[in-house]
Amino acid sequence: MKLSEELAWRGLIKDKTFQDVSWLDEPKTFYHGVDATADSLTVGNLAVLMLARRLIERGWKAVILIGGATSLIGDPGGKIAERELISRDEIKRNSNAIRNQINQLFDGQDFTLVDNYDWWSKSATNEGMLYLDFLREYGKKFSMTELMQREFVTERMGGGASGISYAEFSYGLVQAYDYYRLSLKRGDKDGQDAVLQVGGSDQWSNMLLGVALIRKIDNKEGHNKEAHALSMPLIVDKATGQKFGKTEAGAIWLDPQKTTSTQFYQFWVNTDDADVEDYLKIFTLLPKDKIEHYVMKHKSAPEHRYAQQQLAYEVTRTVHGEEALDRAERVTDLIRGRDSNLLDIKEEDVSDIRNEIAYTKAKIGDSIQEKIVEVKLAASKTEANRLMASNAISINGIKVPPRVQSFKKSDFINGRLLIRRGKAYKDSALIELE
């Protein structure tokens, strides 16, 4: 399967500036930029980064740009109000954290990592862009008409809207210059021009400004330089209609300190049946035949969530590595009751369990029913008694006989026990010996 055919099959092509998608089949150099307004990327960022991985694996050379400069302004796209400005020190910390994540995601791949602050700042090489030079050389290339027609501008300028500052209004021009600069054999370590920018469809108007700037400059000079853009569709949860990557607890981060590997793994396991095939295509590097096999197997017995488990396995391994994947699977097996062995549990596993399910402390002789209520496995002591009477409660995978009313010393393994009701993932709680 050609690259263009694969990207179409995976649903990764939305907008493009080239007519024939087969243009993608001849490898060149592309660039993709990521924001530095947070100290971690999210699963929303991951979608386009996986598109970048596919291009690299098909021979394209990659320039990944961290927006250390553009983040000082803040991308207005998708925002209904002005962003709060972030200090340079914070953006520098964010950039360093994101650099580490990108290096892990693209480990073993051929790519160049750059930060646009290097050419926008007053650096030691005195190559920083002067404001007047920028207006004369690049701002002069665009009319207000084409700048005002951008979707986010019209949304922010309409009646009752919050308005937009000149700083955010000019964001697209700053990003356009980034593309122009990377098209001048300065981004790629092998000295090749970047001829393609890839991004999400929410970046389409900004990407078009970069294409337009390059073409305007080169057409004036009598050249016909290649400059194109490719966007992939924004991902929407089909079950909720909400933007992908958000949960009740907030964004799903790639940083394990913000979203643990187990929480990350569970996010994918909990994918709705309507979305799992699309997510396997977008977020994994699995080939077509394997994805079709997993989807067929899932459809034959959806209650086993086979496709979701494969999705969680692949994405967690890609983002966090084998060791973190193993921990996520161990913790998941414990919480789901598939494994009741607490004897060799590691401290980092315990920390992940506490982040996943309710936990409390108890003494030997404490009432089991009272603790069931405390960890919210039952709404009342009456319901707890009913669960106990119906033999619905287990401790460390062993059913608790109705006659047993209190914890025994033997219930605790290394000072801990897992109590469980039902079959749902969250129907467990961790109780530690006081």
Side-chain angles (χ1 to χ4, degrees):
M1 188 187 302
K2 294 180 179 179
L3 173 62
S4 57
E5 295 170 340
E6 181 187 357
L7 296 185
W9 173 74
R10 291 182 185 270
L12 299 178
I13 299 174
K14 185 179 186 297
D15 300 304
K16 54 184 174 55
T17 56
F18 42 90
Q19 285 191 331
D20 189 344
V21 294
S22 64
W23 180 84
L24 294 165
D25 296 330
E26 184 179 338
K28 304 170 188 70
T29 298
F30 75 93
Y31 107 88
H32 170 61
V34 295
D35 211 351
T37 52
D39 60 359
S40 174
L41 300 171
T42 69
V43 290
N45 302 118
L46 181 61
V48 185
L49 290 169
M50 292 303 290
L51 168 59
R53 275 285 300 264
R54 295 179 212 288
L55 291 171
I56 293 171
E57 292 185 354
R58 292 301 192 101
W60 280 74
K61 294 187 177 298
V63 180
I64 307 299
L65 179 146
I66 297 176
T70 37
S71 297
L72 288 167
I73 302 171
D75 184 359
K79 301 295 180 183
I80 61 174
E82 193 82 7
R83 287 176 181 263
E84 291 289 331
L85 291 178
I86 302 174
S87 71
R88 170 58 190 157
D89 286 342
E90 184 176 349
I91 288 173
K92 189 175 181 180
R93 289 192 296 271
N94 294 347
S95 297
N96 288 335
I98 289 170
R99 181 177 288 106
N100 292 334
Q101 291 179 354
I102 290 173
N103 281 328
Q104 181 170 334
L105 276 174
F106 289 87
D107 184 36
Q109 305 300 312
D110 184 15
F111 74 103
T112 302
L113 189 59
V114 298
D115 187 330
N116 61 7
Y117 189 78
D118 291 342
W119 54 79
W120 282 104
S121 65
K122 294 179 180 178
S123 64
T125 57
N126 293 318
E127 289 186 357
M129 174 64 67
L130 294 176
Y131 179 64
L132 290 178
D133 290 342
F134 177 68
L135 290 180
R136 286 176 61 83
E137 295 297 324
Y138 308 106
K140 195 72 172 174
K141 305 293 183 187
F142 295 94
S143 71
M144 284 298 295
T145 301
E146 57 188 317
L147 295 177
M148 289 294 294
Q149 288 174 345
R150 292 174 293 171
E151 184 177 355
F152 73 85
V153 175
T154 58
E155 290 175 350
R156 294 270 288 273
M157 295 291 286
S162 62
I164 186 169
S165 69
Y166 176 74
E168 287 198 353
F169 179 80
S170 64
Y171 178 93
L173 290 181
V174 177
Q175 183 174 311
Y177 175 76
D178 290 341
Y179 190 1
Y180 172 67
R181 184 178 177 100
L182 294 176
S183 74
L184 300 177
K185 300 184 179 180
R186 298 185 184 182
D188 183 73
K189 61 187 177 185
D190 293 330
Q192 295 192 20
D193 302 356
V195 298
L196 174 68
Q197 182 182 4
V198 299
S201 60
D202 57 337
Q203 287 293 309
W204 184 241
S205 63
N206 288 333
M207 290 193 286
L208 286 180
L209 288 180
V211 171
L213 178 61
I214 293 168
R215 291 178 178 178
K216 287 177 181 183
I217 292 174
D218 283 287
N219 286 343
K220 185 177 179 180
E221 296 175 355
H223 303 149
N224 188 20
K225 185 176 178 60
E226 271 193 315
H228 288 291
L230 168 68
S231 79
M232 64 172 288
L234 285 184
I235 305 169
V236 177
D237 186 319
K238 292 177 182 176
T240 65
Q242 295 178 341
K243 187 176 178 180
F244 170 80
K246 297 285 187 179
T247 68
E248 291 181 4
I252 303 300
W253 303 94
L254 303 195
D255 182 350
Q257 300 301 314
K258 297 167 77 74
T259 299
T260 69
S261 57
T262 302
Q263 291 169 330
F264 188 83
Y265 182 89
Q266 282 304 316
F267 170 78
W268 300 103
V269 167
N270 291 328
T271 297
D272 191 87
D273 286 348
D275 293 311
V276 68
E277 181 175 358
D278 289 343
Y279 292 0
L280 281 166
K281 292 177 179 179
I282 295 168
F283 292 101
T284 79
L285 298 171
L286 292 170
K288 182 179 180 181
D289 58 341
K290 285 194 174 182
I291 290 176
E292 289 177 341
H293 168 73
Y294 295 145
V295 170
M296 183 176 63
K297 188 170 182 179
H298 168 73
K299 288 180 177 178
S300 66
E303 68 275 11
H304 296 308
R305 306 187 70 77
Y306 186 75
Q308 283 90 339
Q309 290 175 35
Q310 292 298 323
L311 173 67
Y313 177 90
E314 293 293 335
V315 184
T316 306
R317 183 175 63 173
T318 297
V319 173
H320 293 302
E322 294 283 355
E323 185 176 338
L325 171 63
D326 289 345
R327 182 165 66 250
E329 291 185 314
R330 283 198 310 270
V331 171
T332 296
D333 286 344
L334 283 166
I335 291 173
R336 285 194 176 276
R338 293 195 290 258
D339 183 356
S340 58
N341 181 21
L342 290 171
L343 190 61
D344 300 321
I345 191 170
K346 299 178 181 179
E347 192 56 42
E348 58 263 35
D349 294 351
V350 176
S351 178
D352 276 10
I353 289 173
R354 292 194 191 109
N355 282 315
E356 283 293 299
I357 58 176
Y359 71 95
T360 188
K361 291 184 178 294
K363 298 190 293 289
I364 295 169
D366 279 354
S367 165
I368 295 176
Q369 290 93 329
E370 288 179 3
K371 291 299 174 180
I372 289 173
V373 175
E374 186 176 332
V375 295
K376 295 183 170 41
L377 293 183
S380 64
K381 196 168 181 179
T382 300
E383 184 185 3
N385 284 326
R386 179 181 59 77
L387 291 169
M388 293 285 290
S390 61
N391 206 31
I393 299 297
S394 63
I395 292 177
N396 300 329
I398 300 173
K399 292 290 185 180
V400 180
R403 66 179 182 277
V404 176
Q405 300 293 305
S406 59
F407 294 113
K408 309 184 301 295
K409 183 178 180 180
S410 59
D411 291 330
F412 293 89
I413 302 173
N414 286 343
R416 302 182 181 97
L417 66 82
L418 279 167
I419 192 165
R420 183 169 179 80
R421 58 156 288 187
K423 296 181 179 180
Y425 177 67
K426 294 292 186 179
D427 284 350
S428 297
L430 175 68
I431 299 180
E432 297 179 289
L433 192 60
E434 191 174 314

